[in-house]
Short mmCIF file of all heavy atoms in Angstrom, two decimals:
data_model
loop_
_atom_site.label_atom_id
_atom_site.label_comp_id
_atom_site.label_asym_id
_atom_site.label_seq_id
_atom_site.Cartn_x
_atom_site.Cartn_y
_atom_site.Cartn_z
N VAL A 471 133.58 0.52 58.30
CA VAL A 471 132.22 0.04 58.29
C VAL A 471 131.91 -0.73 59.59
O VAL A 471 130.82 -0.61 60.10
CB VAL A 471 131.98 -0.90 57.05
CG1 VAL A 471 130.60 -1.56 57.08
CG2 VAL A 471 132.13 -0.08 55.78
N LYS A 472 132.88 -1.47 60.09
CA LYS A 472 132.64 -2.24 61.34
C LYS A 472 132.25 -1.30 62.46
O LYS A 472 131.30 -1.59 63.24
CB LYS A 472 133.94 -3.03 61.70
CG LYS A 472 133.74 -3.72 63.08
CD LYS A 472 133.79 -5.20 62.96
CE LYS A 472 133.84 -5.93 64.27
NZ LYS A 472 132.78 -5.67 65.17
N THR A 473 132.92 -0.18 62.63
CA THR A 473 132.61 0.75 63.69
C THR A 473 131.21 1.31 63.45
O THR A 473 130.41 1.44 64.43
CB THR A 473 133.65 1.92 63.71
OG1 THR A 473 134.94 1.33 63.99
CG2 THR A 473 133.31 2.95 64.77
N PHE A 474 130.87 1.63 62.18
CA PHE A 474 129.52 2.12 61.92
C PHE A 474 128.49 1.02 62.35
O PHE A 474 127.52 1.35 63.00
CB PHE A 474 129.36 2.39 60.41
CG PHE A 474 127.97 2.71 60.06
CD1 PHE A 474 127.44 3.95 60.23
CD2 PHE A 474 127.16 1.73 59.38
CE1 PHE A 474 126.11 4.23 59.87
CE2 PHE A 474 125.88 2.04 58.99
CZ PHE A 474 125.34 3.29 59.23
N MET A 475 128.71 -0.23 61.94
CA MET A 475 127.79 -1.30 62.28
C MET A 475 127.69 -1.50 63.81
O MET A 475 126.60 -1.83 64.31
CB MET A 475 128.18 -2.58 61.62
CG MET A 475 128.09 -2.57 60.11
SD MET A 475 126.39 -2.43 59.50
CE MET A 475 126.70 -2.33 57.74
N ASP A 476 128.81 -1.33 64.49
CA ASP A 476 128.79 -1.50 65.95
C ASP A 476 127.92 -0.45 66.62
O ASP A 476 127.46 -0.63 67.80
CB ASP A 476 130.18 -1.42 66.55
CG ASP A 476 131.01 -2.64 66.21
OD1 ASP A 476 130.44 -3.68 65.82
OD2 ASP A 476 132.27 -2.63 66.38
N ASN A 477 127.65 0.65 65.98
CA ASN A 477 126.88 1.77 66.58
C ASN A 477 125.42 1.78 66.15
O ASN A 477 124.75 2.82 66.40
CB ASN A 477 127.58 3.10 66.24
CG ASN A 477 128.81 3.31 67.08
OD1 ASN A 477 128.75 3.50 68.28
ND2 ASN A 477 129.98 3.21 66.48
N ILE A 478 124.97 0.76 65.52
CA ILE A 478 123.53 0.72 65.16
C ILE A 478 122.91 -0.54 65.72
O ILE A 478 123.57 -1.50 66.06
CB ILE A 478 123.33 0.74 63.63
CG1 ILE A 478 123.95 -0.51 62.96
CG2 ILE A 478 123.92 2.02 63.03
CD1 ILE A 478 123.60 -0.65 61.46
N ASP A 479 121.55 -0.49 65.82
CA ASP A 479 120.83 -1.63 66.36
C ASP A 479 120.20 -2.45 65.21
O ASP A 479 120.13 -3.66 65.28
CB ASP A 479 119.71 -1.20 67.33
CG ASP A 479 120.26 -0.49 68.55
OD1 ASP A 479 121.27 -0.99 69.12
OD2 ASP A 479 119.68 0.55 68.94
N VAL A 480 119.72 -1.73 64.20
CA VAL A 480 119.05 -2.37 63.06
C VAL A 480 119.60 -1.68 61.82
O VAL A 480 119.73 -0.41 61.76
CB VAL A 480 117.50 -2.15 63.12
CG1 VAL A 480 116.85 -2.69 61.87
CG2 VAL A 480 116.92 -2.74 64.40
N PHE A 481 119.90 -2.48 60.85
CA PHE A 481 120.41 -1.94 59.56
C PHE A 481 119.18 -1.86 58.61
O PHE A 481 118.53 -2.86 58.41
CB PHE A 481 121.51 -2.79 58.94
CG PHE A 481 122.00 -2.19 57.63
CD1 PHE A 481 122.94 -1.20 57.67
CD2 PHE A 481 121.49 -2.60 56.46
CE1 PHE A 481 123.40 -0.60 56.47
CE2 PHE A 481 121.91 -2.02 55.25
CZ PHE A 481 122.89 -1.01 55.31
N VAL A 482 118.97 -0.70 58.03
CA VAL A 482 117.86 -0.55 57.11
C VAL A 482 118.41 -0.15 55.73
O VAL A 482 119.34 0.73 55.68
CB VAL A 482 116.80 0.47 57.58
CG1 VAL A 482 116.16 -0.01 58.84
CG2 VAL A 482 117.36 1.83 57.81
N LEU A 483 117.92 -0.76 54.71
CA LEU A 483 118.31 -0.42 53.37
C LEU A 483 117.06 -0.01 52.56
O LEU A 483 116.30 -0.86 52.10
CB LEU A 483 118.98 -1.61 52.69
CG LEU A 483 119.57 -1.35 51.26
CD1 LEU A 483 120.67 -0.30 51.33
CD2 LEU A 483 120.05 -2.66 50.64
N PRO A 484 116.80 1.28 52.49
CA PRO A 484 115.55 1.73 51.84
C PRO A 484 115.64 1.91 50.34
O PRO A 484 114.78 2.52 49.71
CB PRO A 484 115.32 3.08 52.51
CG PRO A 484 116.67 3.59 52.77
CD PRO A 484 117.55 2.38 53.10
N SER A 485 116.66 1.32 49.70
CA SER A 485 116.82 1.44 48.28
C SER A 485 115.74 0.64 47.57
O SER A 485 115.37 -0.40 47.98
CB SER A 485 118.21 0.88 47.82
OG SER A 485 119.21 1.49 48.52
N ILE A 486 115.35 1.16 46.43
CA ILE A 486 114.36 0.50 45.58
C ILE A 486 115.05 -0.53 44.69
O ILE A 486 114.47 -1.51 44.25
CB ILE A 486 113.61 1.51 44.74
CG1 ILE A 486 112.91 2.54 45.63
CG2 ILE A 486 112.55 0.85 43.82
CD1 ILE A 486 112.00 1.92 46.69
N TRP A 487 116.33 -0.33 44.43
CA TRP A 487 117.11 -1.26 43.55
C TRP A 487 118.53 -1.35 44.01
O TRP A 487 119.16 -0.35 44.40
CB TRP A 487 117.09 -0.75 42.10
CG TRP A 487 117.73 -1.70 41.13
CD1 TRP A 487 117.11 -2.73 40.51
CD2 TRP A 487 119.11 -1.77 40.78
NE1 TRP A 487 118.02 -3.45 39.76
CE2 TRP A 487 119.25 -2.85 39.86
CE3 TRP A 487 120.21 -1.02 41.11
CZ2 TRP A 487 120.51 -3.18 39.31
CZ3 TRP A 487 121.40 -1.33 40.54
CH2 TRP A 487 121.53 -2.45 39.65
N GLU A 488 119.04 -2.57 44.04
CA GLU A 488 120.49 -2.83 44.33
C GLU A 488 120.98 -3.88 43.35
O GLU A 488 120.26 -4.84 43.09
CB GLU A 488 120.64 -3.42 45.76
CG GLU A 488 120.33 -2.47 46.88
CD GLU A 488 121.39 -1.40 47.08
OE1 GLU A 488 122.60 -1.73 46.91
OE2 GLU A 488 121.04 -0.26 47.39
N GLY A 489 122.13 -3.68 42.75
CA GLY A 489 122.73 -4.68 41.96
C GLY A 489 122.93 -5.94 42.74
O GLY A 489 122.43 -6.96 42.46
N PHE A 490 123.77 -5.82 43.72
CA PHE A 490 123.94 -6.90 44.76
C PHE A 490 124.10 -6.15 46.08
O PHE A 490 124.93 -5.24 46.19
CB PHE A 490 125.20 -7.73 44.49
CG PHE A 490 125.42 -8.76 45.55
CD1 PHE A 490 124.68 -9.89 45.63
CD2 PHE A 490 126.35 -8.56 46.56
CE1 PHE A 490 124.87 -10.88 46.61
CE2 PHE A 490 126.56 -9.48 47.57
CZ PHE A 490 125.83 -10.63 47.58
N GLY A 491 123.28 -6.49 47.05
CA GLY A 491 123.25 -5.78 48.28
C GLY A 491 124.38 -6.09 49.17
O GLY A 491 124.23 -6.66 50.28
N TYR A 492 125.60 -5.76 48.72
CA TYR A 492 126.80 -6.03 49.47
C TYR A 492 126.71 -5.51 50.92
O TYR A 492 127.15 -6.14 51.86
CB TYR A 492 128.03 -5.43 48.76
CG TYR A 492 129.35 -5.71 49.41
CD1 TYR A 492 129.88 -7.04 49.31
CD2 TYR A 492 130.04 -4.76 50.09
CE1 TYR A 492 131.11 -7.34 49.93
CE2 TYR A 492 131.27 -5.07 50.73
CZ TYR A 492 131.77 -6.32 50.62
OH TYR A 492 132.99 -6.61 51.23
N VAL A 493 126.11 -4.31 51.06
CA VAL A 493 126.01 -3.68 52.37
C VAL A 493 125.08 -4.51 53.29
O VAL A 493 125.32 -4.54 54.49
CB VAL A 493 125.56 -2.25 52.23
CG1 VAL A 493 124.12 -2.14 51.78
CG2 VAL A 493 125.81 -1.48 53.55
N LEU A 494 124.17 -5.25 52.72
CA LEU A 494 123.31 -6.13 53.52
C LEU A 494 124.14 -7.27 54.08
O LEU A 494 124.03 -7.66 55.25
CB LEU A 494 122.18 -6.75 52.72
CG LEU A 494 121.03 -5.76 52.38
CD1 LEU A 494 120.11 -6.43 51.34
CD2 LEU A 494 120.27 -5.33 53.60
N VAL A 495 125.06 -7.83 53.24
CA VAL A 495 125.98 -8.86 53.69
C VAL A 495 126.85 -8.31 54.81
O VAL A 495 127.09 -9.03 55.81
CB VAL A 495 126.77 -9.44 52.50
CG1 VAL A 495 127.78 -10.43 52.98
CG2 VAL A 495 125.84 -10.05 51.49
N GLU A 496 127.38 -7.13 54.63
CA GLU A 496 128.19 -6.54 55.65
C GLU A 496 127.45 -6.39 57.01
O GLU A 496 127.96 -6.78 58.04
CB GLU A 496 128.71 -5.16 55.26
CG GLU A 496 129.77 -5.17 54.15
CD GLU A 496 130.17 -3.82 53.72
OE1 GLU A 496 129.30 -2.94 53.58
OE2 GLU A 496 131.36 -3.58 53.54
N ALA A 497 126.22 -5.95 56.89
CA ALA A 497 125.46 -5.77 58.14
C ALA A 497 125.17 -7.09 58.80
O ALA A 497 125.31 -7.22 60.03
CB ALA A 497 124.14 -5.05 57.83
N MET A 498 124.80 -8.10 58.00
CA MET A 498 124.56 -9.43 58.56
C MET A 498 125.83 -10.04 59.11
O MET A 498 125.75 -10.71 60.17
CB MET A 498 123.89 -10.30 57.48
CG MET A 498 122.48 -9.87 57.18
SD MET A 498 121.78 -10.53 55.64
CE MET A 498 121.96 -12.27 55.87
N ALA A 499 126.93 -9.82 58.49
CA ALA A 499 128.22 -10.34 59.04
C ALA A 499 128.52 -9.69 60.39
O ALA A 499 129.17 -10.35 61.22
CB ALA A 499 129.32 -10.02 58.03
N CYS A 500 128.06 -8.52 60.59
CA CYS A 500 128.29 -7.88 61.89
C CYS A 500 127.14 -8.23 62.87
O CYS A 500 127.08 -7.65 64.01
CB CYS A 500 128.29 -6.34 61.71
SG CYS A 500 129.80 -5.82 60.87
N GLY A 501 126.25 -9.16 62.53
CA GLY A 501 125.23 -9.64 63.42
C GLY A 501 124.08 -8.69 63.60
O GLY A 501 123.38 -8.68 64.63
N LYS A 502 123.79 -7.87 62.56
CA LYS A 502 122.71 -6.89 62.66
C LYS A 502 121.49 -7.42 61.94
O LYS A 502 121.61 -7.95 60.78
CB LYS A 502 123.14 -5.57 62.03
CG LYS A 502 124.28 -4.89 62.71
CD LYS A 502 124.00 -4.61 64.15
CE LYS A 502 125.24 -4.09 64.89
NZ LYS A 502 124.96 -3.86 66.27
N PRO A 503 120.29 -7.28 62.54
CA PRO A 503 119.06 -7.60 61.81
C PRO A 503 118.90 -6.53 60.73
O PRO A 503 119.34 -5.39 60.90
CB PRO A 503 118.00 -7.48 62.89
CG PRO A 503 118.54 -6.50 63.85
CD PRO A 503 120.05 -6.73 63.85
N VAL A 504 118.24 -6.88 59.66
CA VAL A 504 118.09 -5.94 58.53
C VAL A 504 116.59 -5.83 58.11
O VAL A 504 115.84 -6.68 58.33
CB VAL A 504 118.93 -6.36 57.29
CG1 VAL A 504 120.40 -6.39 57.65
CG2 VAL A 504 118.50 -7.71 56.74
N VAL A 505 116.31 -4.64 57.61
CA VAL A 505 115.00 -4.36 57.03
C VAL A 505 115.32 -3.75 55.64
O VAL A 505 116.07 -2.80 55.56
CB VAL A 505 114.13 -3.41 57.83
CG1 VAL A 505 112.83 -3.13 57.12
CG2 VAL A 505 113.89 -3.97 59.22
#
């Protein structure tokens, strides 16, 4: 996941529903802005 995050500029999560947005936490931990 870290390599994936290193290769993006903005993390987008277009889901309509998430139990807990763990992937948002991962993106933010990698210093990525999120939408």
Side-chain angles (χ1 to χ4, degrees):
V471 174
K472 173 116 174 58
T473 299
F474 173 79
M475 294 294 178
D476 287 345
N477 285 291
I478 63 172
D479 298 317
V480 177
F481 182 83
V482 297
L483 185 65
S485 305
I486 301 306
W487 185 88
E488 291 288 323
F490 177 76
Y492 184 73
V493 69
L494 288 171
V495 175
E496 288 178 317
M498 290 165 54
C500 291
K502 300 300 172 180
V504 299
V505 178

